[in-house]
Amino acid sequence: MSEKIYDVIIVGSGPSALTAAIYTTRGNASTLIVGGESWGGQLMLTTVVDNFPGFPEGVHGPDLMLAMRHQAERFGATFLEKNAETVDLDVRPFVVKAGGVEYRSRSVIIATGALTQWLNVPGEKELIGRGVATCAPCDAPFYKNKVVAVVGGGDSAMEEANVLTKYADKVYIIHRRGEFRASKVMQDKIFANHKIEVVWDTEVNKIIGADKVDKIEIENTKTHGIKELSLDGVFVAIGHKPDSDIFKGPVEMDDRGYIKVFDSTKTNIAGVFVAGDVHDDRYKQAITAAGFGCMAAMDVLKYLEDNSSS
Ligand code: NAP
């Protein structure tokens, strides 16, 4: 167990966590960020972010996260590149175990964000890294002159497909409905790209291949007609689910795992606050996550002040 008792431990390292850390450290609260081995959250897997204010030409997701991390560290936050393994929120101070060490704190901000959703079809798990992927900016160069499919109809799917056309000869977008939910500006880019073919009203039944992806079996949701598409890669872009498993039990959440908020950023446990995609199923933007991080930090500072004698 570490000797020090931090004022706040922030679990997570996306925009909400790092914004929270900027505010808690500037509020003179000793701050430990348990940031995870793959730190930075979803923006580490994206290319250009065009809608984060202050960057008129856009900013690369990883550059933005690195800048936020440096800013938090400049004000004195300690950044731990370890995964949070367990939390004990029934004791005071609270205990967060990471990298085999127990860290203690007077308050906690849960800012763990959200994890990739998978299709859960046969062949998917087996072929991850051998044609099944979730990050076009990371893996697109492997698909030079190849044929790939992106599954999904949101902004992520549009973005993945666009990135892939820089390398692949052909990109299918397979969507289960007859219209996208993606923003119009993203859809316009897709419809203008001659390398992209949209396969509407279609679900993937299975991903087929021995050592690597060879083809997929798809089914039309209206006619139930089944056919196979030969291709080299499948990028799954069907959204995310809140990364809240280690808080199950003491922290109240809904049946999908989104943490419940009671009055601004407070959870059901006094001294435990929440920020970002782990509780927000509505906006899910980098800028709103950052805003929630700021709010949680201000709530923490108030809580610490109100409980300074305990
Ligand atoms: P999303 O908006 O939730 O879209 C998920 C898509 O996957 C939907 O089209 C959904 O279909 C489909 N889907 C879900 N489960 C499925 C399943 N089991 N099988 C097949 N299809 C399935 O998720 P997202 O695209 O990751 O975007 C999340 C948030 O981040 C959004 O607010 C988005 O605007 C934002 N974002 C922004 C940018 C940007 O501005 N640069 C980039 C990426 C994401 P239905 O439509 O039928 O439900």
Side-chain angles (χ1 to χ4, degrees), residues 42-43 46-52 117-121 151-160 174-183 185-186 189 202-204 236-240 258 277 280-286:
Q42 294 172 46
L43 284 189
T46 193
T47 47
V48 176
V49 180
D50 265 335
N51 52 8
F52 202 90
Q117 289 266 39
W118 294 99
L119 293 165
N120 292 320
V121 296
V151 187
D155 283 335
S156 297
M158 307 297 111
E159 199 170 79
E160 298 276 293
I174 298 172
H175 183 39
R176 64 183 178 184
R177 289 191 295 131
E179 60 180 350
F180 289 137
R181 73 166 58 218
S183 55
V185 63
M186 303 281 258
K189 279 190 200 166
T202 296
E203 285 180 345
V204 176
V236 180
I238 60 167
H240 298 84
Y258 285 97
D277 287 9
D280 166 33
D281 66 344
R282 181 166 179 189
Y283 302 104
K284 300 184 276 185
Q285 302 299 300

Side-chain angles (χ1 to χ4, degrees), residues 82-102:
K82 297 280 180 204
N83 296 332
E85 289 143 10
T86 56
V87 290
D88 189 347
L89 304 176
D90 292 327
V91 294
R92 305 294 164 116
F94 301 119
V95 178
V96 176
K97 190 172 171 189
V101 178
E102 290 184 335

